[in-house]
Amino acid sequence: GDLVSLGAGEHSVTFRPMGGASGASAEAMRMTLRIAEVCARESAGSAAASLSERPNTAAKVQRYMDNHALKDHLTHALMHLLREQPEDAMGFLSEALCKEVTVRAAATKTAAATKTVGGHRVSIRHGSAPIGPESSKFGDAMEARGNLHVLPSCVNIGAPTRLLDFGSGETGFNTYTIDEKGENFTFKGNKIKAPFFAAFVETGNVEAFGQAVMEEFELTKCTLPLVSIFAGATGLHRELMGHAGNAMKAHNFLVDVEEYLSSQLAGKQTKFWLFVPSGLLEAQFELFATEWLVGRSKLLNLAATEAEDVTLTLSLIHEAFNQLDVTRNGTLSAEDLEMLTCAPEMSPSSPGTGKAQVIKNTVSDLVSVSGHMNFEQFQESLRKSTNLQMAVQTMIFSGTLSAGGGSSQLSMMGSGHNMTLQLFSVPIGNKVPMVEGLFSKPVLNSERQNWALRVRSELRQANFPVAIRGLFVGISAVYYAMHAAGASERVISLKTALTGLEKALEDVDQDDQVKIANLTLVYELLKWCFDDSAGFVFKRQWKTRDGEFVSTWTLGLFTQQHATKKAQEVKTRPRAKEELWKSASSRVVRPLSQEMQDSARAENLFEVPFAAWPLADSHVLDLGSGEVGLYVYQSDLAKNMIVAKSDKKCCEPFYEGFVDKDRVDDFTSLLIEEFKLAPDRLKGREIICAGATGLHREMMLADRVKRDKILKFSTKVEQELTRRLQRTTCFRLFVPSGELEAQFELRAVQWLIGVPGMDIRSSVLPCWMVNKAWNMMAAAACLPSGIGVHIAKDQLRALGVGEDEVMTALKRADSNGDEALDYEEFVAAAASEPTFQALVRRCAFAGTISAGGGSSQLTLTSCVRNSLPQLFSMPVGNRVPIVQRLFSEEVTWQQRSDWIERIRSGLRASQFPRGLSGFYVAISAMYHAAKASGINDRLVTKSEAIAAFASLLAKLDAKDHRSIANVTLVKEIITWVFDDETSVLLFKRNWSTAGSTTYVAGWTLGMYCTQFEMDEDCRERSACIIQKHIRGTSVRNAMLRRP
């Protein structure tokens, strides 16, 4: 090869075939040359380099390169080459690759950067495992199939965010832009009736797609050197991307589009990031989008004259008034009203927020002379202030109801300061009658009735909640049903909605199967889920001061990630002492005995109580199907750590063992003994949080009789605890949805794997895990010689790693004391330092996988901290063969094969991803299967795990139904989901640190971790206020003591 001078210290490297390097086989050198060509193009930007190989060969080369970090090796070799300028440039690079050079160049924060090396200027791109689009080229990100399900960091503040929506029958182009102050927000969107895969990929129409992208995104006007475009595959495209062949076709097509766009844009680099949001994640983003729009549109009709409308409006305003009235004295102060500016939609990090200060300035004019306002004055103030009305709408907004072809979702947003999302999904949609042939033409009345019964049955099996109150927004197919009923675009009651649907069903064409199916589905959803006092808005087009919007998942993704990013960059706005007090006091719940009537409301059961008290022990109960878990957590504020003081199990089910037998004294004694509670009149109050999961979740949602019985029993326990402990006791019962439980479990594991000194056995961390951690840290450090130990704090914070301890370890690993850590020092530290091993695990951590009696779940992390995870759930668990009697007394091999096929069918139907890369933690029943196989509590590869499970299955007694069912399930899920070469698993339940503190990676720990982290700002500012108060008191006392 030739090293060609381009003038003024600029050089390019041109490669050509060569005979090979000494000591290497011909095949090895052919592979090396192919790799070198790709590396040169990736790392040095050489226009002369090319790879004329078949797609499957290219993919093989790409995998080999990534697994062995060869691009990074070559980057470093190129830097040496430009320093030394050897005569045989190609031989120099080939020898370096064959010897597996372990010295690496530092990655830069941008995708491509020009550096000066030995007096020469060269463009170098790093090949890190992506943490976001800024740090990886599209081809790198797409190589690992698992990256399709990693949610990228899309928002670039101050620059346009371009989002493609590859829907079932159309392609959406959405551009969101917000300035750095977060005030001016613009949106431009359009859809073309051309599905991405059928209209472009399969036909290979690169030019047509490229032209559409250029026109819709106005790329010719872009002045930035890099254009990033993010594409989400939804609907049918989500299913298409589940097949490796289709994903590879889409990948190759977009790579071609990248090259086409670069040629059309005078060489400007264009990058695509393709990802696949799950159906649940899509519903969550739609909820966030709707919440954002509710706070920017005028919905409440305060001038209503119809009796029904007036009653509904007053009910909703009363709800907001009661939420603001923290002291429960029937009046609001200026401080109470200023709490409206603390709502997420009013947060400084919320896009386009300008109302918070307006509300604050308006409050003083609205409050009466006495300093307080009653309900009538509050109602009148809403008529005077549009901004105040929109803030109140955000406060009373409860969630969204949506439906599609194959499923329906209810998303609920918690109120107050926890803002926890509850999501319920049922596998029934408006296309089911046509797909399953349930309707004839014309549709018979009996068929309508059977369809309605089918919907109710599915809602019952999915444990959909009942009798919910609040303000809900109907979107997607729910909106179209109500639009057909003439009841859209305004706030209406449940009665009005049901009446409109009944009339629409009477008037509908009997041959219109789709319309009948949809109207019936929405009617049954509304009737099942909501209380008569609930309010609804069925809306699609929203007009705001920022323009017109549609409540889509792309808008939700943008607003959610923007808020998260701003919150990471800038501390929350300063708060006054009174505001902090209101924030804290709103978390303190009254005793259940005082709120029995309100707590019986279904929506209150989904409010997650605050548990992470900084100066007191937190007591949390897990009311599981067959046992009661009792957990005590404490925060170590000095070390910013969480301490699990106790985790006990009572092997009696809560309802059958205590509630049904009215064993109030026994349950009270159990709590006092296990929580070590003692009488103390000086203590203010005792708070115990109890979450109903498993069968108890079903009872609380679907059985009103048992729910009322549980609430009455809890009230008695609360009163008995108050009497015995001689202080007010609050027993707060709530119901986390299955999806929320999975998210909390993910957060617990995420925190545990990042704790140094955790008992995780591993002989040597895989090379790709160490490389990923290095790349992520180096991207944050942005130094040519390695990781600057003083610059990596932001990246550590973004990862959720305890930065102080890791920063100390970084300095300790800096063997030459140059304030920078090179690759060799990093690798050496990762081999021996527990802190570095925890960092590597945290950087490579990709999610959790679990299995239970009736279902199995996969939860994937995101590139953005505190962003929403990807959730996949399959209604197949290890008890299915037993409950459905698929096994005979001695399980035959044919029955085992049938069970395997049942599992694979479930994975396919639930759209579980395949070929995922990364580090995953397996919990629940998966841990028990691993323990029986002898691979628990240590890092194992996929092949090790599969071999261990296969060996165990061969030895199991044919009568051991439970073990055969569970181990087979675990083996098939692991085989289906994970990549053969770049995935590592840890099967673990109990976690212990060097200080002998034991943790259980359950949802209770995850809930505490989440709240402890979110409360950090409030703790810090409260501490500052206390310190100032103490200093002021000390100074005042000192002055008084002066003569």
Side-chain angles (χ1 to χ4, degrees):
D2 297 323
L3 177 64
V4 181
S5 175
L6 302 180
E10 293 187 51
H11 294 78
S12 70
V13 180
T14 304
F15 294 104
R16 60 176 181 267
M18 61 172 289
S22 59
S25 66
E27 176 57 28
M29 287 317 304
R30 280 195 295 272
M31 174 69 82
T32 300
L33 181 56
R34 290 198 296 270
I35 292 169
E37 289 177 339
V38 178
C39 292
R41 186 171 56 189
E42 299 281 345
S43 302
S46 171
S50 63
L51 179 66
S52 56
E53 298 287 341
R54 295 187 303 274
N56 59 343
T57 306
K60 180 181 178 182
V61 172
Q62 189 76 34
R63 281 196 299 274
Y64 187 86
M65 289 162 51
D66 284 358
N67 292 346
H68 299 281
L70 294 182
K71 282 182 295 187
D72 299 278
H73 300 331
L74 182 62
T75 300
H76 190 262
L78 280 168
M79 295 174 71
H80 278 286
L81 180 144
L82 292 173
R83 288 193 185 99
E84 301 176 14
Q85 298 196 33
E87 292 184 1
D88 184 2
M90 187 67 224
F92 179 92
L93 295 176
S94 297
E95 289 288 348
L97 287 172
C98 287
K99 293 177 181 178
E100 293 288 322
V101 177
T102 57
V103 180
R104 302 173 54 145
T108 61
K109 188 177 256 184
T110 57
T114 300
K115 295 184 179 180
T116 301
V117 182
H120 303 279
R121 196 154 61 91
V122 61
S123 178
I124 299 175
R125 294 190 189 95
H126 66 85
S128 63
I131 57 170
E134 296 88 352
S135 64
S136 175
K137 195 169 187 224
F138 174 74
D140 301 338
M142 276 296 299
E143 188 281 329
R145 287 277 293 104
N147 287 341
L148 279 176
H149 300 277
V150 173
L151 186 67
S153 174
C154 303
V155 175
N156 191 6
I157 298 173
T161 297
R162 302 174 180 89
L163 285 164
L164 286 167
D165 180 5
F166 294 153
S168 297
E170 57 192 8
T171 300
F173 298 80
N174 305 282
T175 305
Y176 301 95
T177 308
I178 189 167
D179 61 18
E180 294 185 358
K181 294 182 180 180
E183 295 177 355
N184 299 315
F185 181 46
T186 60
F187 164 73
K188 178 179 179 293
N190 187 34
K191 288 186 177 182
I192 59 174
K193 294 290 184 181
F196 171 67
F197 207 83
F200 300 107
V201 177
E202 290 187 329
T203 60
N205 204 341
V206 172
E207 183 177 352
F209 186 76
Q211 283 295 324
V213 169
M214 287 181 61
E215 293 173 9
E216 298 294 343
F217 288 141
E218 300 179 342
L219 297 186
T220 54
K221 298 180 181 179
C222 180
T223 58
L224 297 175
L226 174 66
V227 178
S228 295
I229 300 172
F230 306 90
T234 60
L236 292 177
H237 283 89
R238 180 161 42 227
E239 299 178 24
L240 286 170
M241 292 303 109
H243 299 279
N246 293 334
M248 182 58 69
K249 284 181 182 179
H251 159 249
N252 293 335
F253 177 82
L254 290 177
V255 169
D256 292 339
V257 176
E258 283 181 344
E259 295 176 356
Y260 173 79
L261 290 175
S262 294
S263 67
Q264 296 295 306
L265 298 173
K268 185 181 296 182
Q269 188 181 3
T270 305
K271 296 195 304 182
F272 283 90
W273 186 287
L274 178 63
F275 63 101
V276 184
S278 66
L280 296 178
L281 186 62
E282 187 179 348
Q284 290 174 324
F285 281 138
E286 288 172 347
L287 172 64
F288 284 122
T290 305
E291 182 194 30
W292 186 83
L293 291 168
V294 165
R296 284 168 168 74
S297 306
K298 191 173 180 180
L299 299 177
L300 295 175
N301 183 11
L302 301 177
T305 56
E306 295 290 335
E308 185 176 318
D309 293 341
V310 171
T311 301
L312 176 61
T313 302
L314 286 175
S315 174
L316 294 173
I317 296 175
H318 255 298
E319 181 70 27
F321 185 88
N322 291 334
Q323 287 187 37
L324 290 169
D325 184 14
V326 178
T327 57
R328 301 293 195 271
N329 62 3
T331 61
L332 301 180
S333 64
E335 290 80 9
D336 290 329
L337 286 170
E338 284 183 6
M339 287 302 296
L340 285 168
T341 64
C342 301
E345 193 275 329
M346 298 293 159
S347 165
S349 60
S350 181
T353 297
K355 299 196 288 278
Q357 189 60 43
V358 175
I359 292 174
K360 195 168 185 177
N361 296 336
T362 308
V363 162
S364 58
D365 300 330
L366 299 176
V367 180
S368 62
V369 178
S370 62
H372 292 80
M373 70 163 58
N374 56 28
F375 176 73
E376 288 72 22
Q377 293 169 324
F378 178 68
Q379 186 179 355
E380 182 62 27
S381 69
L382 293 179
R383 294 191 176 93
K384 297 179 180 179
S385 173
T386 302
N387 286 324
L388 192 63
Q389 179 182 332
M390 292 180 182
V392 166
Q393 288 172 180
T394 303
M395 174 170 279
I396 60 177
F397 171 68
S398 301
T400 59
L401 181 68
S402 60
S407 64
S408 304
Q409 291 82 28
L410 172 66
S411 303
M412 299 176 64
M413 182 71 78
S415 62
H417 293 269
N418 294 327
M419 302 307 294
T420 308
L421 178 69
Q422 296 268 36
L423 181 64
F424 299 88
S425 182
V426 58
I428 194 77
N430 52 29
K431 290 185 179 179
V432 170
M434 283 67 73
V435 172
E436 297 185 5
L438 304 180
F439 284 175
S440 59
K441 278 193 177 185
V443 181
L444 304 177
N445 286 333
S446 60
E447 293 171 339
R448 289 193 187 195
Q449 294 172 4
N450 290 336
W451 171 230
L453 290 172
R454 169 72 178 275
V455 174
R456 289 175 217 157
S457 174
E458 294 288 351
L459 290 170
R460 188 178 298 107
Q461 291 181 29
N463 297 315
F464 249 54
V466 295
I468 299 172
R469 306 180 189 185
L471 178 64
F472 286 82
V473 176
I475 58 177
S476 61
V478 175
Y479 161 77
Y480 290 112
M482 296 310 302
H483 182 69
S488 60
E489 310 299 335
R490 68 183 193 275
V491 178
I492 61 174
S493 66
L494 177 65
K495 181 181 178 181
T496 302
L498 294 178
T499 302
L501 289 170
E502 288 170 354
K503 188 175 187 308
L505 281 167
E506 290 176 2
D507 299 338
V508 69
D509 183 355
Q510 300 302 308
D511 288 335
D512 195 339
Q513 296 177 330
V514 175
K515 200 169 187 178
I516 293 173
N518 194 42
L519 290 169
T520 305
L521 172 66
V522 174
Y523 181 88
E524 295 300 331
L525 283 169
L526 293 174
K527 195 171 182 181
W528 179 278
C529 295
F530 300 103
D531 184 82
D532 291 340
S533 62
F536 302 92
V537 179
F538 302 95
K539 199 172 181 66
R540 175 171 171 78
Q541 296 287 344
W542 299 72
K543 291 183 179 180
T544 73
R545 65 172 188 174
D546 298 309
E548 290 193 7
F549 295 88
V550 178
S551 182
T552 60
W553 70 267
T554 58
L555 176 61
L557 170 64
F558 178 82
T559 54
Q560 195 268 343
Q561 287 199 356
H562 179 275
T564 300
K565 204 161 191 175
K566 291 294 290 184
Q568 290 175 4
E569 293 178 358
V570 184
K571 278 284 188 181
T572 319
R573 62 181 177 81
R575 297 181 181 180
K577 289 187 292 184
E578 295 83 2
E579 209 171 319
L580 281 169
W581 162 244
K582 292 294 180 183
S583 176
S585 63
S586 66
R587 297 168 175 161
V588 181
V589 294
R590 293 186 295 171
L592 187 61
S593 55
Q594 297 178 20
E595 295 191 335
M596 185 65 189
Q597 184 174 357
D598 284 342
S599 293
R601 292 168 48 175
E603 66 274 12
N604 284 356
L605 294 172
F606 303 109
E607 294 289 344
V608 179
F610 188 82
W613 303 104
L615 301 177
D617 291 351
S618 297
H619 305 106
V620 185
L621 293 172
D622 179 7
L623 308 179
S625 298
E627 58 188 11
V628 177
L630 302 100
Y631 302 90
V632 182
Y633 301 107
Q634 186 183 61
S635 56
D636 186 341
L637 298 181
K639 297 180 180 179
N640 200 31
M641 277 282 292
I642 297 168
V643 179
K645 294 184 65 176
S646 173
D647 61 277
K648 304 286 186 179
K649 291 282 187 181
C650 171
C651 296
E652 288 189 73
F654 178 61
Y655 184 82
E656 294 179 359
F658 296 98
V659 177
D660 201 32
K661 300 174 183 177
D662 202 28
R663 294 171 57 194
V664 175
D665 289 341
D666 292 343
F667 193 73
T668 303
S669 298
L670 174 69
L671 297 181
I672 292 175
E673 179 182 351
E674 297 297 346
F675 287 150
K676 295 181 172 56
L677 304 175
D680 188 349
R681 293 179 181 275
L682 298 179
K683 273 188 149 182
R685 68 175 61 208
E686 197 71 53
I687 299 176
I688 299 174
C689 303
T693 60
L695 293 176
H696 287 91
R697 175 164 48 224
E698 298 178 18
M699 293 180 194
M700 296 297 290
L701 295 179
D703 194 325
R704 296 190 186 188
V705 174
K706 289 184 177 179
R707 182 179 73 189
D708 292 341
K709 199 170 182 178
I710 290 174
L711 288 171
K712 290 178 181 178
F713 177 84
S714 301
T715 302
K716 293 178 184 178
V717 171
E718 184 180 77
Q719 293 170 342
E720 182 63 17
L721 282 169
T722 299
R723 185 186 68 80
R724 292 197 201 179
L725 300 178
Q726 301 176 17
R727 60 181 178 272
T728 302
T729 302
C730 302
F731 191 90
R732 185 58 191 267
L733 188 64
F734 69 104
V735 184
S737 66
E739 288 76 13
L740 181 61
E741 186 179 351
Q743 289 185 40
F744 280 150
E745 288 174 346
L746 174 69
R747 183 66 191 95
V749 173
Q750 212 167 21
W751 182 79
L752 287 168
I753 62 173
V755 176
M758 199 60 72
D759 62 330
I760 299 175
R761 291 179 283 128
S762 174
S763 54
V764 179
L765 289 171
C767 177
W768 64 265
M769 287 180 66
V770 178
N771 291 340
K772 182 168 186 177
W774 164 263
N775 288 325
M776 295 179 80
M777 296 298 297
C782 197
L783 286 178
S785 57
I787 300 174
V789 295
H790 295 293
I791 305 176
K793 278 193 173 183
D794 290 339
Q795 183 67 11
L796 291 170
R797 186 181 294 114
L799 289 169
V801 177
E803 61 209 60
D804 293 336
E805 190 166 0
V806 176
M807 291 303 294
T808 302
L810 283 170
K811 294 176 183 178
R812 190 164 56 245
D814 182 17
S815 58
N816 55 12
D818 63 352
E819 295 297 315
L821 211 64
D822 62 27
Y823 180 67
E824 289 179 319
E825 290 172 326
F826 188 86
V827 171
S832 57
E833 280 266 7
T835 303
F836 269 75
Q837 292 171 357
L839 173 63
V840 170
R841 292 195 300 266
R842 179 61 189 87
C843 290
F845 178 66
T848 59
I849 189 160
S850 60
S855 63
S856 303
Q857 291 82 28
L858 171 67
T859 311
L860 304 179
T861 59
S862 168
C863 287
V864 184
R865 186 188 181 194
N866 294 332
S867 187
L868 295 172
Q870 290 261 47
L871 302 175
F872 298 88
S873 183
M874 172 181 67
V876 178
N878 53 29
R879 296 188 69 238
V880 169
I882 300 168
V883 172
Q884 298 184 6
R885 299 185 178 182
L886 304 181
F887 292 166
S888 57
E889 183 178 354
E890 290 192 3
V891 184
T892 66
W893 289 106
Q894 181 59 47
Q895 290 169 342
R896 293 193 187 200
S897 298
D898 293 342
W899 173 225
I900 289 173
E901 185 54 39
R902 175 71 176 274
I903 296 167
R904 292 175 182 172
S905 176
L907 290 165
R908 192 177 299 109
S910 301
Q911 298 179 11
F912 264 55
R914 306 190 73 170
L916 296 185
S917 301
F919 168 42
Y920 295 84
V921 176
I923 56 179
S924 62
M926 291 207 167
Y927 165 77
H928 296 294
K931 185 177 180 181
S933 303
I935 56 171
N936 57 303
D937 298 317
R938 63 185 176 90
L939 299 182
V940 296
T941 63
K942 174 185 174 180
S943 58
E944 288 180 86
I946 297 301
F949 292 137
S951 176
L952 177 61
L953 282 170
K955 300 174 184 175
L956 286 175
D957 186 345
K959 295 182 180 180
D960 190 350
H961 293 187
R962 185 174 180 180
S963 295
I964 292 173
N966 188 48
V967 177
T968 303
L969 175 68
V970 173
K971 177 178 176 291
E972 290 303 316
I973 293 176
I974 299 296
T975 302
W976 180 281
V977 172
F978 299 112
D979 182 72
D980 294 334
E981 299 177 359
T982 56
S983 60
V984 169
L985 300 162
L986 173 64
F987 297 86
K988 196 168 182 64
R989 184 181 185 275
N990 294 322
W991 305 63
S992 300
T993 61
S996 300
T997 302
T998 302
Y999 301 88
V1000 176
W1003 69 265
T1004 57
L1005 176 61
M1007 181 181 79
Y1008 190 93
C1009 289
T1010 302
Q1011 294 181 353
F1012 180 75
E1013 185 178 83
M1014 292 174 63
D1015 198 48
E1016 181 180 3
D1017 181 55
C1018 185
R1019 289 197 306 270
E1020 289 178 359
R1021 298 192 181 280
S1022 298
C1024 291
I1025 291 171
I1026 293 171
Q1027 289 169 357
K1028 289 178 182 178
H1029 177 74
I1030 292 174
R1031 283 197 297 267
T1033 303
S1034 300
V1035 171
R1036 186 170 58 253
N1037 291 340
M1039 294 178 65
L1040 291 174
R1041 286 196 296 270
R1042 292 178 181 176

